């Protein structure tokens, strides 16, 4: 899986950072978000609302790009815990607007959310491997939010994002076992 954390860092530094003001240190929200992280989450929420209420397709495309980007980050899951806690909370609230058959319906079953949520679950699910390699574990707050998202998806959509939506990359090599008897 390609880690998009570096792109997220660049985007936050160049597109969402407030104008430089040397007289004040960078502001942090009460929930630990930096100003640029709060700006990114605000744009995610605004683009969703503009699509939902005004049927603005450009907003839908922006929301899809932001969700795909955030679901594609692995290193940032540990480095930017507050951002991902806020993202998972917002995504869970946004998915509440989707009908219960969203992942089963013919028209919406094969959408970008299937692979995005599967990728997020796979990146967060690499946790046992990270612990075995001595890397830092996911923050408890983020692990709890991911568990809430999983429980929500199970209850609302009857899918397990860690199992049912796992990345199925068609471009990966396939191992074919040949018969050993000649």
């Amino acid at each position: 899986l390609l880690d998009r954390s570096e792109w997220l860092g660049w985007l936050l530094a160049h597109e969402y950072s407030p104008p430089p003001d040397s007289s004040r240190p960078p502001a942090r929200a009460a929930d630990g978000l930096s100003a640029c992280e709060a700006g990114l989450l605000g744009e995610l929420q605004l683009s969703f609302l503009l699509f939902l209420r005004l049927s603005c397709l450009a907003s839908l495309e922006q929301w899809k790009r932001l969700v795909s980007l955030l679901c594609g980050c692995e290193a940032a899951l540990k480095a930017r815990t507050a951002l991902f806690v806020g993202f998972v909370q917002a995504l869970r609230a946004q998915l509440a607007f989707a009908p219960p058959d969203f992942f089963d319906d013919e028209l919406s079953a094969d959408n970008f959310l299937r692979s995005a949520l599967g990728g997020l679950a796979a990146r967060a699910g690499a946790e046992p491997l990270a612990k075995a390699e001595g890397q830092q574990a996911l923050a408890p707050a983020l692990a709890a939010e991911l568990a809430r998202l999983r429980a929500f998806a199970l209850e609302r959509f009857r899918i397990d994002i860690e199992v049912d939506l796992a990345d199925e990359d068609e471009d990966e090599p396939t191992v074919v076992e040949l018969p050993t008897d000649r």
Side-chain angles (χ1 to χ4, degrees), residues 46-56 59-60 94 97:
L46 179 63
S47 60
F48 180 80
L49 287 173
L50 287 173
F51 167 68
L52 187 68
R53 295 296 179 201
L54 302 177
S55 301
C56 178
S59 294
L60 172 64
Q94 292 166 351
F97 287 94

Side-chain angles (χ1 to χ4, degrees), residues 95-105 153 155-159:
L95 287 176
F97 287 94
D101 66 345
F102 184 72
F103 289 97
D104 297 328
D105 185 73
E155 179 184 326
R156 176 123 176 126
F157 304 114
R158 298 173 313 283
I159 58 167

Side-chain angles (χ1 to χ4, degrees), residues 72-139:
C73 294
E74 189 169 340
L77 281 171
K78 296 176 186 84
R80 298 183 179 277
T81 300
L83 171 63
F84 281 90
V85 166
F87 166 63
V88 173
Q89 289 172 341
L91 186 60
R92 192 176 71 242
Q94 292 166 351
L95 287 176
F97 287 94
D101 66 345
F102 184 72
F103 289 97
D104 297 328
D105 185 73
E106 236 179 81
L107 295 174
S108 61
D110 190 26
N111 62 55
F112 87 101
L113 273 175
R114 182 172 289 279
S115 62
L117 290 174
L120 179 63
R123 285 170 179 83
E127 197 57 27
L129 178 62
K131 287 179 185 174
E133 294 175 356
Q135 296 176 2
Q136 178 185 359
L138 283 180

Side-chain angles (χ1 to χ4, degrees), residues 12-25:
L12 288 170
H14 293 87
E15 298 295 326
Y16 291 95
S17 62
D21 183 5
S22 59
S23 65
R24 292 186 296 173

Side-chain angles (χ1 to χ4, degrees), residues 33-52:
L33 287 172
S34 68
C36 56
E37 292 170 338
L40 180 102
L41 284 180
E43 183 166 344
L44 175 84
Q45 294 170 352
L46 179 63
S47 60
F48 180 80
L49 287 173
L50 287 173
F51 167 68
L52 187 68

